[in-house]
Structure formats: C-alpha cells, structure tokens
Amino acid sequence: MLPDAPKQHLLTVGLEDYFQVAAFRPLIEHKQWYRFETRLEQNTRKALDLLDRFDIQATFFVNGWVGDRFPELVRLVADRGHEIADKGYYHRTIRQMTPSEFREDLAKSREALERACGQKVVGYRVSHGWFTPTDLWALDVLADEGYAYDASLAPAWRRFAGEPWRRFQHEHTVRKQGLELSHSEIPTPFSDGDRSIWEFPRSSYRLLGLDIPIAGGNYFRQFPQWLVKRAVAAWHRRVEAPFVMYFHVWELDPEQPKINAVSFLQRIRHYRNLDKMERVLEDYFGAYSFTGIADYLGLDTQRSAAESSRLAPRVGELSRSDSTTPVERNGCGPHGCGPVADPATTARTPISKVVAC
C-alpha cells in the first residue's frame, strides 16, 4: 500500500432473500423457499447502485441455491465488478454437517456459483452462525479444497479469549505432517508446499476483556449508532488489519413482506431499523475506503477456457429436489403472503389463515 493511499477496509455482502435468514429457519426450511415472494433482484440492484455511487467493489457471499435459481442475477453482480464467493448450497450451519458432507456441499455450491458468475470462487463464509473453536476443522477442509480465504470466524465476547490474534486476519496452514497454525497481520504469497487459507474474522471492539461485535448487519441496526461509529473509528486509527464489514441485501428493503409467526425477539432482530440501514451504510462508505477480499489479497478470479467450458450454463436445469412450476416458485409462503396458484385454473377467493405456533 502506498503511504499516501487511504487505508483499505473490506466489505462483504450477503446476497440472500428475506425468508432465507437464520431468524426464520425454525419456521421455513429450504424446501419451502420456492413458495415465497422473492425480492432478491430488486434488493440486489439497490445494493449494486449504492456501491456504484461510492465506487466500491465488494465480495458477495451467495448460496449455491441462489446461483441455480437466479444465475442471471449472480452474473450481473460479477459483471458490475464484484467478487462472488461461496456461502454453501443451502442456509445451514457447519454443525449440521460431517466433514464429508461439508466437502460435498462445497463442491455443489461452488459449481453452481462458478457456472452462474463466470468467475473462479476462491472464498467462503458459513451461511448460518459462525465458526467456534470446535469448528476449526472446517478450515482444513476449505484449504484442502483450494479455497484461498474464509470469513466465518466471529471472535465475539470471550469465544477466542485464549487466542487474541484471531480477532484479526491470520493464516491457517495445514502441514503435511500434521496441523500447524500461523498468523500474520499482513498477507503474504502462499508457499508452493503446504496448503494455507487466510481467515478474515468478523470485526469486534475490545471492551473490558470482551470482544463486542461491530462489523455491520444486525449490529449496525441494533446498537446505538454513535457508539458503533466511535468503535469503528478507533479500529481505523489503531489497528493495522482491515476492518471487515458486512450487510445483507434484504436489509435495504423496509417494505419486505412481514413474517409474523416468529417470536418478538426475532421480529426485533430482523425488522428493527431497516428504514435507516441505507443511510447508515452511506455514512461509512463516505468516511472509509472499502474493497472486496479477493481484490485485497490480489487473487485472480478469472477462469481458464477449459474451466469455462466445463461449467457452461445448463439451460432450463432445475435441482432434482425442485419439481415446482415457475408460478409456484414466484409465489409467497404460508407465513407471509400465502402460496400463489395459477390464475388461469384457480378462482381467487379471499380467505383468512391462522397459523398455530
């Protein structure tokens, strides 16, 4: 980095629809996603326009399911200059998978995303939850599968109190003769020998021995903004490593359909201050310089001709588990607007529906 250049921070974006979030997972399984009204395209375009206004390139973490259902949208994000990274095929936590199942999920989601976006996918973030100390085996699998970086660690509260360097970017190395962890604040080129993977944890603020999350998303919407702004400014002044910030495209949509069959706390978590989120992001985008993770690491995401040929788009292909019609896939869900039937064959009769919880 040149001495006169502004300090570069990292921006990641969750490209997911409002009904795919962790808060609604007890009510809405992935096999029900097709039944909900999608607002993914309009929210993604809104996010892209926001980033264009500030000339920001970001990393978009995307589920493979989205890559299969919305390939044109994923390609649009890539064509607008942003990196596409892996978020697993469905919205699942790492603790729902064995190492072999995790490896299979990576292969499925990566193929779907690379086919959709035309780029090499080199980064990963877990969809649901964050990696804890017992989940670090997943970094070995990711490194073995050739991923260059991960962004799934959340050193919140006292989760990694014995390893304070995990609050910042560090390199995880899988040695041929066993496991060894090395760490550094400045990226260096990978060696030709043992596999390595960079980790970019969610940023936090150290207060009274606790690591308070301040990375964006829900924390931007729930915590007092003056307090978060002071914490981010302190990171910018004192920490050499980049600040890792994130948001989801659905957080720019205060008019999204409401799913009422959730607890009061979950409604607060999901809907509170959605109308302010765009202004909050504009404030940070105007104050700091951001880029995507692959760009920060200087990684090449261009595919070779052979890779492009192997992953040519499959026109009209659907997942084996999706036997729904286009009308059903564009409908609303039972906890939102209700399933949409074909108007040519079904009379429109107003009903009231009570969902017992």
Side-chain angles (χ1 to χ4, degrees):
M1 185 184 300
L2 296 175
D4 296 337
K7 188 173 183 178
Q8 199 94 104
H9 299 297
L10 303 179
L11 178 65
T12 70
V13 183
L15 198 159
E16 62 185 27
D17 228 328
Y18 65 96
F19 53 80
Q20 296 176 304
V21 301
F24 301 151
R25 193 173 174 279
L27 291 173
I28 305 170
E29 298 179 0
H30 63 77
K31 60 187 176 183
Q32 298 172 310
W33 286 352
Y34 75 89
R35 302 173 65 185
F36 287 79
E37 173 195 0
T38 180
R39 297 173 70 87
L40 192 60
E41 181 175 355
Q42 69 179 60
N43 292 338
T44 301
R45 288 182 179 274
K46 188 173 183 179
L48 291 174
D49 291 343
L50 173 62
L51 298 179
D52 280 351
R53 293 206 305 271
F54 292 89
D55 194 24
I56 292 174
Q57 290 183 326
T59 294
F60 279 70
F61 286 102
V62 190
N63 285 132
W65 184 92
V66 172
D68 275 340
R69 292 340 186 258
F70 301 91
E72 297 87 356
L73 184 62
V74 176
R75 176 60 73 101
L76 173 65
V77 174
D79 289 346
R80 298 272 286 262
H82 304 285
E83 178 197 1
I84 301 298
D86 195 350
K87 208 178 181 187
Y89 196 81
Y90 293 118
H91 211 275
R92 294 197 291 173
T93 173
I94 191 70
R95 286 171 287 283
Q96 291 179 285
M97 294 178 276
T98 65
S100 60
E101 289 172 337
F102 180 52
R103 197 181 295 268
E104 292 171 1
D105 188 72
L106 289 174
K108 183 178 181 180
S109 57
R110 195 180 206 176
E111 180 177 350
L113 295 175
E114 291 189 342
R115 182 185 301 118
C117 73
Q119 298 178 353
K120 286 193 296 186
V121 170
V122 298
Y124 178 83
R125 173 180 290 168
V126 69
S127 282
H128 180 202
W130 301 87
F131 288 174
T132 66
T134 60
D135 302 320
L136 297 183
W137 59 264
L139 296 180
D140 296 350
V141 176
L142 287 165
D144 191 50
E145 291 297 321
Y147 285 80
Y149 71 85
D150 173 74
S152 302
L153 255 65
W157 317 117
R158 292 189 57 81
R159 184 171 293 164
F160 289 97
E163 300 173 306
W165 49 270
R166 287 200 184 274
R167 288 186 59 217
F168 314 105
Q169 67 191 58
H170 55 274
E171 190 179 12
H172 176 100
T173 304
V174 184
R175 302 294 185 188
K176 293 177 182 177
Q177 300 300 323
L179 175 65
E180 178 180 323
L181 289 179
S182 61
H183 55 92
S184 169
E185 288 197 355
I186 305 299
T188 55
F190 297 143
S191 66
D192 294 330
D194 305 311
R195 290 189 177 276
S196 298
I197 184 169
W198 280 98
E199 176 60 46
F200 289 87
R202 179 186 66 181
S203 295
S204 59
Y205 181 74
R206 177 63 61 85
L207 180 66
L208 300 177
L210 299 177
D211 295 322
I212 312 299
I214 56 168
N218 193 41
Y219 306 104
F220 279 3
R221 293 187 291 108
Q222 306 299 341
F223 293 166
Q225 195 49 225
W226 64 268
L227 187 60
V228 180
K229 286 180 66 175
R230 289 182 60 180
V232 174
W235 180 294
H236 179 75
R237 291 192 310 270
R238 303 171 187 169
V239 181
E240 180 66 25
F243 181 76
V244 182
M245 179 173 149
Y246 73 94
F247 71 95
H248 307 87
V249 297
W250 57 262
E251 291 182 287
L252 300 176
D253 183 15
E255 303 302 322
Q256 63 189 258
K258 298 296 188 294
I259 298 175
N260 295 317
V262 293
S263 69
F264 173 76
L265 290 179
Q266 295 290 32
R267 287 198 298 273
I268 293 293
R269 175 184 176 185
H270 187 82
Y271 297 116
R272 186 169 183 262
N273 288 332
L274 288 179
D275 57 333
K276 299 179 180 178
M277 189 62 173
E278 184 171 1
R279 296 195 300 275
V280 169
L281 292 174
E282 289 173 339
D283 199 12
Y284 287 106
F285 293 166
Y288 305 105
S289 177
F290 291 93
T291 191
I293 299 178
D295 182 63
Y296 177 79
L297 288 173
L299 301 175
D300 182 11
T301 59
Q302 297 302 310
R303 288 199 319 224
S304 67
E307 290 170 324
S308 298
S309 175
R310 179 177 63 85
L311 293 170
R314 302 173 185 172
V315 178
E317 182 185 32
L318 289 176
S319 167
R320 296 174 192 160
S321 62
D322 188 353
S323 59
T324 59
T325 67
V327 170
E328 289 173 314
R329 287 197 302 276
N330 291 330
C332 305
H335 305 289
C337 307
V340 176
D342 188 341
T345 59
T346 306
R348 297 174 180 243
T349 304
I351 64 170
S352 297
K353 187 169 184 177
V354 177
V355 179
C357 298

